[in-house]
Amino acid sequence: MVMSDRLAQIPDSYFGKTMGRTIEHGPLPLINMAVGIPDGETPKGILDCFAEAIRKPENQKYVAFHGKETFKQAIVDFYQRQFGVELDKEDEVCILYGTKNGLVALPTCIVNPGENVLLPDPGYTDYLAGVQLAGAQPQPLVLTPPYYLPQWHNVDTDVLLNTRLVYLTYPNNPTGSVATKDVFDEAIAQFKGTKTKIVHDFAYSAFGFDHKNPSILQSEGAKDLAVEVFSLSKGYNMSGFRVGFAVGNKDIIQALKKYQTHTHAGMFGALQDAATFALNHYDDFLVYQNEIFKARRDKFTAKLIEAGIPFEPMQGGIFLWLKTPENYDSERFEAYLLKEKSILVAPGIPFGEHGRGYVRISLAVDDERLMEAAERLQSLKHLYK
């Protein structure tokens, strides 16, 4: 095999090697609760806009590297409407070809080899690859139950001094925890006047069950050191479109834009038109999405509580963080659920060392299968005695 040393040292992407594989399971019909892809259809108006945009001659050619003015303006208007945050569409907006691309590229853009990057543990699996590709040093930002929020005083001072980037993600993938504005205020205050920058992964922004999820950019001084990465995949059921954007600190944004001029040649114009239409016309759909997943959370967790099966509070996002029974680590329990109950979940260990005693359950399945899965899990209550 021909592979650079740097690439060879990076573990295979967990979801890259598991999505699309043939699943061998027990005798019951398979219920796939492993993947965070909302199960609803893309709204018809967005699809109609996309179909019409494909036929436009100007969309069949190269477009501006940094995006159409209409798309960037839609992003600016959306953030003003939703969060009361003002953005400069040229200096503070970077269009992304799927948010994962931006999140993985960011360390290469602003971190030097040997410098520290703090990664939430537990947190999204592919942050690590971006740090390793940059030759930087990953350091854990340990998040503890039940609320999984940063405890800055618990991070070693020497680690903080050499830290150049911190990843935050709320609603948290995989734990379903959320942050208040106070949490972001504290993070900004912690790193104000230092060389450390913050990236907030806001992929599940639409899903806040007890209160609307705040943007980190609502905190005073946030633009001095933070960017936020927003995805259209989850809230708008547009995961296959691979469209997102980063907003915030102009220096980080310019670094990302420079990087993309060497790796991409402009997003397909029709995709930009569809994303523009979504941002401009589907605020109500985001509310509807939130209501769907809140109702699923309520029904699913009621079944678990009834059976005495422990889980962490799910206050947002689309994932439930389920404790494994005693004497089961996450991978063994994943295999057990698949064999005995034909339920496919994600083991906790790819999300960090502190995921060993958990599995991640996606609620992105229809209500009938969700309740069937809950009843199958209820039958395992003896394992938790």
Side-chain angles (χ1 to χ4, degrees), residues 233-301:
S233 295
K234 320 301 181 181
Y236 299 94
N237 288 336
M238 293 175 66
S239 55
F241 286 67
R242 311 306 304 141
V243 181
F245 52 86
V247 291
N249 178 267
K250 63 182 181 180
D251 293 329
I252 302 175
I253 292 298
Q254 296 313 310
L256 270 172
K257 289 168 74 171
K258 179 177 180 179
Y259 178 89
Q260 289 198 145
T261 62
H262 294 290
T263 57
H264 304 288
M267 180 182 288
F268 181 31
L271 277 178
Q272 295 188 57
D273 290 347
T276 299
F277 192 82
L279 291 175
N280 285 341
H281 295 92
Y282 280 88
D283 287 0
D284 289 345
F285 187 75
L286 299 180
V287 175
Y288 171 70
Q289 285 278 76
N290 188 53
E291 290 171 348
I292 289 174
F293 279 85
K294 180 178 182 179
R296 289 178 179 178
R297 187 275 309 262
D298 292 346
K299 290 185 286 187
F300 192 74
T301 57

Side-chain angles (χ1 to χ4, degrees), residues 37 79 160 199 206 287 356:
I37 303 174
Y79 256 72
L160 285 178
V199 54
V287 175
R356 288 188 177 275

Side-chain angles (χ1 to χ4, degrees), residues 304-350:
L304 298 182
I305 292 169
E306 182 182 306
I309 295 176
F311 58 92
E312 300 299 348
M314 181 187 177
Q315 298 170 303
I318 66 173
F319 304 113
L320 183 129
W321 198 227
L322 183 77
K323 283 191 68 67
T324 63
E326 191 175 352
N327 301 321
Y328 283 82
D329 66 12
S330 67
E331 291 174 321
R332 185 181 172 208
F333 193 50
E334 175 214 16
Y336 180 89
L337 288 174
L338 190 58
K339 180 180 179 181
E340 300 298 329
K341 297 299 174 182
S342 298
I343 299 174
L344 179 63
V345 299
I349 187 59

